Each structure stands twice: as C-alpha cells, then as structure tokens.
Amino acid sequence: MKVTIVGPGKVGMVLAYSLVLRGVAREVVLVGSNREKAEGEALDLTHAQAFQQIPVKVRAGEIEDAAGSEVVAVCASVPMPAGLLTRNALAQGNADLMKELLPRIAKVAPNCKLVMVTNPVDVLTWQALQLTGFPRERVMGTGTLVDSIRFRELLSEMLAIHPDDLRAYILGEHGEHQFPAMSVAQSGGERIDDTPERRALCERAKHFGMEVFRKKGNTCYAIGQSAAYIIEAILLDEKRTVPLSVLVDGYLGVTDVCLSLPVVVGKKGVERFLHPDLNAVEAEQFREAARAVRKVIDGLE
Amino acid sequence: MKVTIVGPGKVGMVLAYSLVLRGVAREVVLVGSNREKAEGEALDLTHAQAFQQIPVKVRAGEIEDAAGSEVVAVCASVPMPAGLLTRNALAQGNADLMKELLPRIAKVAPNCKLVMVTNPVDVLTWQALQLTGFPRERVMGTGTLVDSIRFRELLSEMLAIHPDDLRAYILGEHGEHQFPAMSVAQSGGERIDDTPERRALCERAKHFGMEVFRKKGNTCYAIGQSAAYIIEAILLDEKRTVPLSVLVDGYLGVTDVCLSLPVVVGKKGVERFLHPDLNAVEAEQFREAARAVRKVIDGLE
Amino acid sequence: MKVTIVGPGKVGMVLAYSLVLRGVAREVVLVGSNREKAEGEALDLTHAQAFQQIPVKVRAGEIEDAAGSEVVAVCASVPMPAGLLTRNALAQGNADLMKELLPRIAKVAPNCKLVMVTNPVDVLTWQALQLTGFPRERVMGTGTLVDSIRFRELLSEMLAIHPDDLRAYILGEHGEHQFPAMSVAQSGGERIDDTPERRALCERAKHFGMEVFRKKGNTCYAIGQSAAYIIEAILLDEKRTVPLSVLVDGYLGVTDVCLSLPVVVGKKGVERFLHPDLNAVEAEQFREAARAVRKVIDGLE
Amino acid sequence: MKVTIVGPGKVGMVLAYSLVLRGVAREVVLVGSNREKAEGEALDLTHAQAFQQIPVKVRAGEIEDAAGSEVVAVCASVPMPAGLLTRNALAQGNADLMKELLPRIAKVAPNCKLVMVTNPVDVLTWQALQLTGFPRERVMGTGTLVDSIRFRELLSEMLAIHPDDLRAYILGEHGEHQFPAMSVAQSGGERIDDTPERRALCERAKHFGMEVFRKKGNTCYAIGQSAAYIIEAILLDEKRTVPLSVLVDGYLGVTDVCLSLPVVVGKKGVERFLHPDLNAVEAEQFREAARAVRKVIDGLE
Ligand SMILES: NC(=O)c1ccc[n+]([C@@H]2O[C@H](COP(=O)([O-])OP(=O)(O)OC[C@H]3O[C@@H](n4cnc5c(N)ncnc54)[C@H](O)[C@@H]3O)[C@@H](O)[C@H]2O)c1
Ligand SMILES: NC(=O)c1ccc[n+]([C@@H]2O[C@H](COP(=O)([O-])OP(=O)(O)OC[C@H]3O[C@@H](n4cnc5c(N)ncnc54)[C@H](O)[C@@H]3O)[C@@H](O)[C@H]2O)c1
Ligand SMILES: NC(=O)c1ccc[n+]([C@@H]2O[C@H](COP(=O)([O-])OP(=O)(O)OC[C@H]3O[C@@H](n4cnc5c(N)ncnc54)[C@H](O)[C@@H]3O)[C@@H](O)[C@H]2O)c1
Ligand SMILES: NC(=O)c1ccc[n+]([C@@H]2O[C@H](COP(=O)([O-])OP(=O)(O)OC[C@H]3O[C@@H](n4cnc5c(N)ncnc54)[C@H](O)[C@@H]3O)[C@@H](O)[C@H]2O)c1
C-alpha cells in the first residue's frame, strides 16, 4: 500500500517516520520543493526502517510519482511569516500553493484519498474539494483531531482516565472558533460534566498549538500522529470514529464550508458523517465557526 | 512484573499465551491441579516466547509460587456437568473450590490484584471478597466485558464502525440478567439509538457464550482476551474504562453483591467506579440482576 | 490477505489465534472435519479479534472456501494412536488423509503457498509436492524451525543471549534424525563452540516435542508460533531466513526427499535455498536423515 | 522506567519520539540548553503519546532531573562548523561540552547506563569513562550500529534477504576507520562471501552518514532508531547482540580506547563483550582504527 507525502517538512517527516515504524504503508514517496533534501530524508528513513520487522520502501519523487497511491497527504506550506502566529496568515500563500499542487495530484492519483494537513486546514480542505473535483468522501483535513487529543490529554491528567476512553470532541474550526461538544462528552457510559475547570482545559487545549509553536518554532509530533492515525485507518479499513474537517452538507444549517465533525474513516475515506445532538449553544458555536471559515475562504484571491 | 494464573485450563492457557505474546508480564506462573500438565504447558509457552522480542519466564508452580505477583487470575474450575449448560450449575462446586484456593492466595500474595474468571463469575467475585478480605479495589471479575465485546462486534457488523468506537455497555449479571445500557450508548458523540434490530443483537450476544459452548465445548479466546486486557491495564497502569464485576456499593440502591459496572482500571486495580445515568427500565434491570445473583449466593452452602 | 487453515485442532487453533492477534491476515477460514465445532471456533475468534486494532474476518468453511487464499496451512491429522509416541506412527493415516485433502486444495487454490504442519512433516511435505504438482517454492513444512527455537531457548538460558541472536540451526529431519549445524553456529559474529554441554542441550531440544507431548497430551504454542512466523513472512514479503522442510535438490548429494535446510521466505514462498557449508560429520547426518525419511516414504502404501 | 535525553536536538528528539511510541520507557526527561524549547518539545510529545496505548510522561528538566534514570542518552552537541563535514571537527568542542555535562550526570544518576550518541562518538565514549568513573559495562556509544544497519540495508537490496537476517558487522571506528568483518559474515548459516560488489556496498555505507548530512543537513532517523534499540534492550533486559563502541580491553592487542565490537546488551548495560575471530587483514584494520581514535583523544586539550 502506497502513501505519498507532499511537503516533507517538520510535519511531513514525523508523519513519514511514523508510517515507516508501523509498516502499514509499504511504500512511501516524499515530494518536496527541494529534491536533494527529500532524497536525504528518504535515505535516512530507509536506514531506519531496516531496524523494523516489516520492510518499507521510501523514496523521493515528484508529484507524478504519487500515481497509484492509496492516500496522498498534503503537508506542503509556505513559511509562517515571522511573528504573525495565526494560521489564517498562511491562507493566501497556501491557497496559491495548492492551486499549483492539487490539480497535478488529482491528475496522477485520481482515486486517492486526500488528507490535508497544511494550514489553515479547514480553508484548504474546502479548496482541495474545488481543485480536485473529488467527492467529499475522499477529501478530509486533520481538523480538530489534534485539538481533541490535546483536550483529552489534559482531561486525562485531571480525571486519571486514559485519553482514548475520554470520548470528548472538539469540533468546529481548527483555530479560534473551535469548541468542546461537552453536551455529548462521555467516559465509560458516564457523562463528563461541563464544569468551569474543564472549560479552562479546553481553552488551554485550543491555544496549545500556538503555545508549542511559540516555544519550539513548530508543532510536529501530535499532528504527525494525527495524520498517521487517519491514514492507517484508511489503509487498514478500520472504520474508526474521528473528528475531521469535511465538507458540511446541511448539518445544523451549515453548507459549503469545511469544519470538523465526527466521521467514520475506512478504506473508502470518510465512510459516514456522524451528527451528534449538540445543544443550542454548541450548535451556534458551530455556525459561528462556519461563518469564520467562510470569511477566510471569501477573502481568498 | 509477575502474574500467576490459577487454573491453566482452556481459558487460563489462552490468557497465558496472550500475555506471553505481548511481553508486558515478564514472569508467568501456572498453578493447576495436575502439576505435570502445567509443566508441559509452561515448557510449550517457553518455546513460543522465544520467538518474541521480549523474553518472558513461564513456569509451573504451586499457589505458594504466587508470592510477589502483581495480579493473580483465577480460572480454576470444576468441570461443567454434562448437559447442564448454565453457569450457575457450577456455583456450589466452584464455591467449594474457591474456599480451598483463595485463602491460600490471599496469604502468599496479600497485595495482589485478583482477577476472577471462573463461573458463575459474579457470585465468585463476591465470594472472593469474603474469602480474601481484600478491599473492593483489588477484586474484580471479568463480568460483562466479554458480553460487551460480543455485542459491539455484532453492532460493528451492522453499523460498519470499529467495535472499540461503539461505546455500548452490557451491564448487570454475566448471565441471563444482563442488559445493554442503551440509554447511554454512543459512537463518535452520536447516540446509538435503541431499535428492535439492535435489541435483537443484544439478545444474540447474551446467548453467544452458550452458543459457542454448545458448538465447541468451551469458550476461550474472547474470554482470554478479556482477562488479558484487564491484566495489562493493571500492569501498565493504563486507566482504561471497562465494564467489570465489582462489589456494588449503593449504586441504584444495590449493595452487597457483585455485578458489572463500568470502572477505571489501573495499577491499583479498580481505581474508580463509574455511575452511568441509566434510565428507569435499565435501573430496574440492574436491580433485578442484583436479586438474581444474590439468590445464588444465598443458596450456597 | 486470506489464509485458510485446514485442521483447526489444537495446533491449527493456536495458529489461527496468533494470526488474529496480529492482523496481518485479514481473512481466516477454518476447515475442519466437524463443521459445527469449526463454527464455534470461528465465533470465539471473531469475538477475540474485536479487542484488536485491526479487524479480521474469521469463518468456518469447506475446502472450497480456500479459493483466493495466499497461504493454506495444513494441520489436519488423524489422532495419535494411544501410547505410540512417534511421529512416524501417523505416517500412513495422514498420508491417506492428505490424498483426500490436498488435491482439492490444489484445485481451488492453485496459486497458494502451502505450509505443512501435520506429522510426519517431512514425509507429508514430500507427498504434498506429488499430490499438488506445485513447484517446490510453494510447498514447505515447518520442519526443524520449532526444534531450532527450542534449542536456541536452551542455549539462551545457558549463554544469556537473546534466542533470536543465537544463530544456531537444527537441520535434517523433524524427528530422530535431526542435528545441530554447530560448525556454522554463530552469535554476534562469534563462533558458538561445540561443547558437550551444548550437545546435551541439543539432545534435550530434540526430545522436547515428545516431552511436552507426554506431559500435556499435545504441543501447540511453539508450533503455532512457528507456522505463524512463516505465514507472516510470506504475507508481508519479509525475506526472513528460517530452517524449513523443503524438497532437497542435490545439496550434499541428497535428492527427492524433504528435509530442513535454511531458506529465505517471502511473498513467493521459498525464494531462495541456502547451502551452509557443513562439516563432514554434519553432512553425513544430513544424508542419514534423508535415508530415514526416504524409508518412511517408501513404506507408504 | 525513566530515561533522560541530554540534548533534545534533531537526533535526541527522534530518539524521544521513538521511545514515546513504544511505551517501554514510561518517563522521559528532556534536558537541553534552551529550556523553553525543551518544554515545547515535551508538550508536543505529551500530545502525541495520548494516541498510544501506553501512557508515557514527558517533561523538560535540568540535568538534576536525571536522578533515578535507568538510562541517560547523551545527544548534546556544539554545532557542526559550516562546511567541515568530518566528525572529528567536533572533537574539541564536544569534549569541552562533556566536561561540563558528564560529571553532573554521574553525580545525580550514579547507577545509570550511559548511551553516548554525540560525535565523534568513540572519542567521547572514552572520555565519558574518564569523566564519570563508571565501569565499562555502563558506558557505551552507538558506534557502528548505525553503519552496520546501513550496510545490511544495502546488502538486503542486493541479496533479497531481511536486514535482520544478514549477520554482517561493521566494526572499528564510527568514521573513516570502520571495516566490515566479512570473514565472519553469515546469513541463515551460509557465508556471505566477500566479493568486490559487497565491498563497494560497504564503502557506500561508510559514507552514507556524510551523504545524508550533505543532502539534508543532519542525520536523525537511523541514529535515533539505533539509540532506541539499545535503550530498549537495556530497559527490557533483552540480551541483544549489537556492535557498540565500548572500552577495548586487550582484544587483538588493543587497549585504552573505545571502538565498536559486538556485545550483548541487557539490563546491566554491556553484559558481555564478544570476540569474533577476525582474519589478519581485519585485525589490522581494527588496530588501525584504534590508532586513529587514539590520535584524536591525544590531540584533545
Ligand atoms: N493541521 C494542523 O493541525 C497542523 C499542525 C501543524 C502544522 N500544520 C501545518 O502544516 C504545514 C507544514 O508545517 P511544517 O512545520 O512541516 O512546515 P515546514 O516549513 O517544515 O515544511 C513545509 C514543507 O513544504 C514543502 N513545500 C513547499 N512548497 C512546496 C512545493 N511546491 N511542492 C512540494 N513541497 C513544497 C517544503 O519543501 C517543506 O518540506 C504548515 O502549513 C503548518 O501550518 C498544520
Ligand atoms: N467469565 C467468563 O466470561 C467465562 C468464560 C469462559 C469460561 N469461564 C469459566 O472459566 C472456568 C475455566 O474454564 P475452562 O474452559 O478453562 O475449564 P477447564 O476445565 O479447561 O479448566 C479448569 C482448570 O482448573 C484447574 N483446576 C481445577 N481444580 C484446581 C485446583 N484445585 N487448583 C488449581 N487448579 C485447578 C484444572 O487443572 C484446569 O486447568 C470455568 O469456570 C468456566 O465456566 C468463564
Ligand atoms: N510439525 C510439527 O512440529 C508439529 C508439532 C505439533 C503437532 N504437529 C502435528 O500437527 C497435527 C495436528 O495436531 P493437533 O494437536 O492439532 O491435533 P488435533 O487432533 O487437535 O487436530 C486435528 C485436526 O484435524 C482435523 N481433521 C481431521 N480430519 C480432517 C479432514 N478430513 N478435513 C479437515 N480437517 C480434518 C480435525 O478436525 C482436527 O481439528 C498432528 O499431525 C501433529 O502431529 C506437528
Ligand atoms: N553517533 C552517530 O552515529 C551520530 C549520528 C548522527 C548525529 N550524531 C551526533 O549527535 C549530535 C547531535 O546531533 P543533532 O543533529 O541532534 O544536533 P542538534 O544541533 O540538532 O542538537 C544538539 C542539541 O544539543 C543541545 N545542547 C547543546 N549544549 C547543551 C548543553 N550545555 N546542555 C544540554 N544540551 C545542550 C542543544 O540544545 C541541542 O538540542 C551531534 O554531535 C552529531 O554529530 C551522531
């Protein structure tokens, strides 16, 4: 099973390394703007995979080498403008980059599932749908999966329950307009009540991406794991539930924008869109997120 | 980390083999009624573990060799009387067996966590508390974990969602008086509605144990996995939520009986007892299960 | 990837369970002489796999359901005649059984790799070649892989080195005429010298199968792991070196008999036959093993 | 089990991430020269581990937080002087850095096993022995493990055999004076003959580190895996054979220098030093490597 990673930067390489360690993807192609660097990365990973039980072929290539990929993950990005520190600052630059990359991907790998990581991820997932003409089942952004895991980790420290058993979802925008769907949050069949302390964790989780970014200049491990989790659910046809950025199609009155909702991921991509029964406040937060993302989309040239 | 398995029969050996493959327990002691057979099993497992990355010491022993165990799993049993086919038929025989075994276990391994598998598991978990004097945190029966996984597997086939993401719990008795807590069942934040088709799956799941038993003369893989799951959650301090048979202490008005409830399992054993907000019908089913198990307990000599 | 196990007895079921836990085979078919029992086993495994990350379909079937299998493992057997305790005692009974089973397997799964486990394994691997007409690359017996791991485990206890790093091979017959190829035994580039103590371990390893059999009435875990190891090396195209029973084609002057030699296993089956440079004594032991196996073959009706 | 990584740069962080994914180390401390950056890394890893089954605590700290560590891995380094591209160019700078770091490590974690990664690794492993006063069993450098895996990977592509089954060792210096111990190279009991083609692979492997460095500006995945492999062998007491840089104590006449030899690694560190029976040419290459490393040591101020 073949996976192509477009944009082998900090995030793309953590994703590649994670895939190599597990051996689910048996062929990984790295497509970057600097061919020699991508070749160095491919060599280094080739040596690392030799320690594993399952052999994985890793090589550098051009977009055309994505042909035959089950999944193409897009992590390519213009650099974050110094000091700006908001994902939307990347919108125009990356929208332009996608115009260059995505039609070529769609041409050589017309049946692939597309996993968008580049920011602002909701905006670019929407754009990817336009540029590729792919059905919504095959275009997904990592969205609030990474925010959800950060929130669960904080909750886990507070409640002493494994993050995977804390079924709490951050939904909406991967950005300022995200919110915890506390009205449906559960663990072991028990409600996770909506207390001020937990709200505070959620606020902290929302800003964790930027906090990590400020401290180390990027974020790569949690997002790399997020992308790897989605990709392996596709390759192994696992039918896992995850919150992902997908085209919203009427849920809570929202249309024609990409936002994070819980979905089921399997070999066909997004095999099912779930519709949690949010309360009125949450529903409004979702609509607010839709307006915010829409505004960025509308602002693109 | 040391685990002792008392009763290396069909179930006990699947448990032992599962532990050996994963290498979390680094020492496994098999205590059976036939020492030579246990030695044969230990040798066979010793050769199997040599294929694994992590070395595990396996040996046969007496109950006294349980000293120092983190966990003691009890799978010892009198034989199922031919044709009887109800777990309660084993009650008196196994209650007598436990009177022989459990005080000795409590003596040599006074700080262990006790995982009861032998049937009728709710009755014997209750009895284990009496015979060992252990706090309720350290005595748990596999209970409806195995029923829950069977239900989730059936649901998974119907809904095309991974069983682990179908957060539906079978609670109550591991036997006739079990029930699905549908009012709190969720997947990906979405309610799993309580339809007649799903009820039918639940009925089927309830009788799966006996169906498998009739077909092959025992059940061992699903229950072996259940026990292994609990034991690894203890050894690795995972804080996993699982439905287990534990001493009920006032929940829904029930006391002094063991029934399955969702709990959190970590290195101290049951670290937290969860209290799902069941609806009135389910609450009554829980109380009915309590009366049924109590009746068997009261019938013991 | 589909695997069919013909003969879901003690060995076949440990193999099936091992495959299910790892999730490399995604579909497992159990073909036994008792359909209802096979269905019980399949159900039990289906419930066990629901605990794993990777979903695996398990079902009972007839030989015809082996169609499309990458690998067919043959563990079917007549019962060991009470008290006999030599693998060759099964030769005629199992040769007859194979006449019934193997042509049907070859018909429905003409491109599968055949992994023979049933005893006497060298004799039946040879017979499988005749009955199926498969090329020697696609017919292999577990042979002395299990003996080698037992020897390495004993050596490991003596030398305090991981069994996988003790590159010592037991070759020849899976039976009395096996021998350690001490002249080429190495660990970490250092010779493993041929001392009387090590010879004693080798003698013990040779009789371990029978020792375990006497103690517990069968052997299943080490052999189940051996078969699983080979099958996963095929499914994952791992190119692993293992000693397996294969058609010997002139090595040391031996022809037209199956004996264990080190080979390389990958997706095509046996992709390469290795030829260790044995010393004169070992070479003679190999020829002696050939004569012994040949004699059993010639004695078949 | 606690591991401290001193120097969470490119290499240190791949090591940290690898440990976090496997969950063998349950506590990981990152000690860098920039505390805030280390905190960002720790947070990012904390979010990544929340995806895994086994919880791992990751935090930033000072050297004093290494107290209680089973293993301390040293990856701290002065920067590679631009354009220099030889490991020995780092010798004086890193020797000075070690004078600052190692006595403090030895003081707070006097019983740890020390795994040296920083270059020139043979020189610094020798220096670490002096600075800590630790016995040679507890001080090891990654040495030619990474070179050996690169050579095996190339051989694997040529021979179509899994790298783990290609028991060929690169020994001597992790640098120009390394050599393949072809006279004892084996796979599956068969000699790996010393042909010009294989020699060429070995030359390529020797320069792979520098080739990757030139292409991508660092090497991190293969070396991160190497360090993780050693550390897990210690934590799990695996008794694995690996070529590591250790104090040579008379082998082939060499003393008082660190070079790579095959050794056995377990919970006590280097539990055994192996002595392959090298041929005369190889023995001389080993002595030559000793002289080269000695010269760098003698040149330190
Ligand atoms: N969705 C999330 O939760 C999340 C989290 C972290 C980072 N991100 C985003 O991921 C992106 C990558 O982040 P990073 O830290 O890896 O950045 P990076 O600068 O390290 O990597 C960017 C990569 O894009 C490549 N690239 C640029 N132009 C290209 C082209 N024309 N063709 C192919 N490749 C090209 C570069 O070669 C480089 O490898 C950013 O947009 C970042 O904001 C998203
Ligand atoms: N809780 C569940 O969901 C569940 C599921 C399946 C089976 N079970 C129960 O597990 C038990 C074991 O089932 P099995 O199929 O393995 O039975 P089995 O007959 O194969 O094994 C029973 C084992 O108990 C041992 N034993 C008997 N007396 C002993 C003594 N005094 N000391 C030590 N060991 C002794 C025997 O040696 C034997 O190994 C049964 O009670 C069965 O009903 C429970
Ligand atoms: N090669 C080795 O190293 C090794 C090691 C252990 C056992 N074995 C051999 O493996 C074989 C199986 O051993 P076991 O302990 O599992 O025995 P078992 O008696 O438990 O199982 C035999 C199985 O064969 C099945 N079978 C019989 N006739 C059949 C038919 N016509 N069609 C389909 N299935 C049929 C039975 O249903 C049963 O499931 C034996 O021959 C044994 O000697 C080999
Ligand atoms: N042995 C091998 O096979 C091998 C392979 C690759 C790299 N290396 C070596 O590993 C080292 C690290 O390489 P890298 O690419 O990660 O470099 P890097 O520059 O990315 O990282 C160096 C790290 O050292 C830290 N550091 C510096 N001074 C420190 C101090 N006083 N206290 C604590 N930490 C301090 C820095 O904070 C930084 O995190 C280099 O010496 C490199 O040559 C060795």
Side-chain angles (χ1 to χ4, degrees), chain B residues 6-13 31-34 37 63 74-80 87 90 94 97 100-101 116-121 124 142-143 146-147 150 174 213 217-220 223:
Chain B
V6 180
K10 262 94 60 191
V11 172
M13 285 310 298
V31 180
S33 49
N34 177 336
K37 184 170 176 307
I63 284 188
V74 177
C75 312
S77 185
V78 297
M80 177 64 94
R87 295 174 182 95
L90 297 167
N94 280 336
L97 183 56
E100 183 194 326
L101 301 175
M116 302 295 297
V117 183
T118 309
N119 274 321
V121 70
L124 298 181
T142 51
V146 70
D147 303 292
R150 284 171 181 149
H174 173 58
F213 190 92
N218 66 79
T219 81
C220 57
I223 181 65

Side-chain angles (χ1 to χ4, degrees), chain B:
Chain B
M1 290 192 285
K2 181 174 173 180
V3 172
T4 296
I5 297 174
V6 180
K10 262 94 60 191
V11 172
M13 285 310 298
V14 169
L15 168 58
Y17 182 60
S18 306
L19 294 178
V20 157
L21 292 191
R22 289 286 310 280
V24 177
R26 299 299 298 274
E27 190 182 348
V28 176
V29 180
L30 306 175
V31 180
S33 49
N34 177 336
R35 178 66 183 252
E36 188 165 49
K37 184 170 176 307
E39 272 164 10
E41 299 289 11
L43 260 182
D44 201 0
L45 285 181
T46 295
H47 303 152
Q49 66 81 38
F51 276 100
Q52 315 303 317
Q53 186 202 337
I54 310 181
V56 178
K57 291 258 162 274
V58 191
R59 62 193 171 94
E62 301 304 317
I63 284 188
E64 285 55 44
D65 296 301
S69 298
E70 281 284 318
V71 178
V72 176
V74 177
C75 312
S77 185
V78 297
M80 177 64 94
L84 265 179
L85 293 195
T86 143
R87 295 174 182 95
N88 286 331
L90 297 167
Q92 188 62 51
N94 280 336
D96 292 344
L97 183 56
M98 294 307 137
K99 278 184 211 145
E100 183 194 326
L101 301 175
L102 288 175
R104 288 166 62 200
I105 293 173
K107 201 168 154 208
V108 297
N111 300 313
C112 75
K113 273 70 70 183
L114 205 57
V115 174
M116 302 295 297
V117 183
T118 309
N119 274 321
V121 70
D122 300 296
V123 171
L124 298 181
T125 302
W126 181 87
Q127 197 203 15
L129 281 156
Q130 321 304 312
L131 290 170
T132 59
F134 282 7
R136 70 199 273 248
E137 285 72 21
R138 292 202 279 111
V139 180
M140 64 214 91
T142 51
T144 56
L145 172 55
V146 70
D147 303 292
S148 298
I149 201 79
R150 284 171 181 149
F151 179 46
R152 290 176 182 196
E153 171 58 25
L154 286 173
L155 268 181
S156 174
E157 286 165 25
M158 178 183 274
L159 302 175
I161 294 182
H162 194 288
D164 182 53
D165 288 330
L166 291 162
R167 297 284 159 150
Y169 293 87
I170 303 288
L171 303 180
E173 185 202 18
H174 173 58
E176 276 305 305
H177 297 85
Q178 61 183 230
F179 63 94
M182 291 305 287
S183 68
V184 299
Q186 267 200 359
S187 183
E190 200 185 68
R191 284 280 295 278
I192 302 177
D193 291 325
D194 188 357
T195 66
E197 291 75 24
R198 287 165 196 173
R199 283 275 147 183
L201 297 188
C202 177
E203 272 306 295
R204 181 143 198 239
K206 190 204 291 192
H207 297 117
F208 254 150
M210 286 305 155
E211 182 179 339
V212 171
F213 190 92
R214 255 195 320 275
K215 286 187 159 146
K216 59 174 271 207
N218 66 79
T219 81
C220 57
Y221 300 110
I223 181 65
Q225 271 296 309
S226 301
Y229 189 90
I230 299 164
I231 291 171
E232 295 193 359
I234 295 172
L235 297 179
L236 293 168
D237 195 22
E238 289 180 17
K239 322 280 191 201
R240 305 287 333 201
T241 57
V242 257
L244 291 187
S245 188
V246 291
L247 184 67
V248 189
D249 200 21
Y251 175 60
L252 302 172
V254 171
T255 53
D256 200 21
V257 79
C258 288
L259 285 183
S260 283
L261 278 185
V263 298
V264 178
V265 178
K267 72 164 178 275
K268 294 183 199 132
V270 177
E271 303 198 343
R272 194 158 156 179
F273 300 78
L274 302 172
H275 302 101
D277 193 18
L278 301 185
N279 67 22
V281 173
E282 293 162 350
E284 185 47 33
Q285 287 175 304
F286 190 76
R287 285 186 286 262
E288 179 61 29
R291 286 188 291 272
V293 171
R294 188 71 242 172
K295 208 167 136 195
V296 182
I297 292 173
D298 290 341
L300 292 180
E301 283 155 27

Side-chain angles (χ1 to χ4, degrees), chain A residues 6-12 31-34 37 63 74-80 87 90 94 97 100-101 116-121 142-143 146-147 150 174 217-220 223:
Chain A
V6 180
K10 263 93 60 193
V11 172
V31 180
S33 49
N34 177 335
K37 184 169 178 307
I63 284 189
V74 177
C75 311
S77 185
V78 297
M80 176 65 94
R87 294 173 183 97
L90 297 167
N94 281 336
L97 183 57
E100 181 193 326
L101 301 175
M116 302 295 297
V117 183
T118 309
N119 273 322
V121 70
T142 51
V146 69
D147 304 292
R150 284 171 181 148
H174 173 58
N218 66 81
T219 81
C220 57
I223 181 64

Side-chain angles (χ1 to χ4, degrees), chain A residues 17-18 41 44 216 220, chain D residues 17-18 41 44 52 216 220:
Chain A
Y17 182 60
S18 305
E41 300 289 11
D44 200 1
K216 59 175 270 206
C220 57
Chain D
Y17 183 59
S18 306
E41 300 289 10
D44 200 0
Q52 315 303 318
K216 60 174 271 207
C220 57

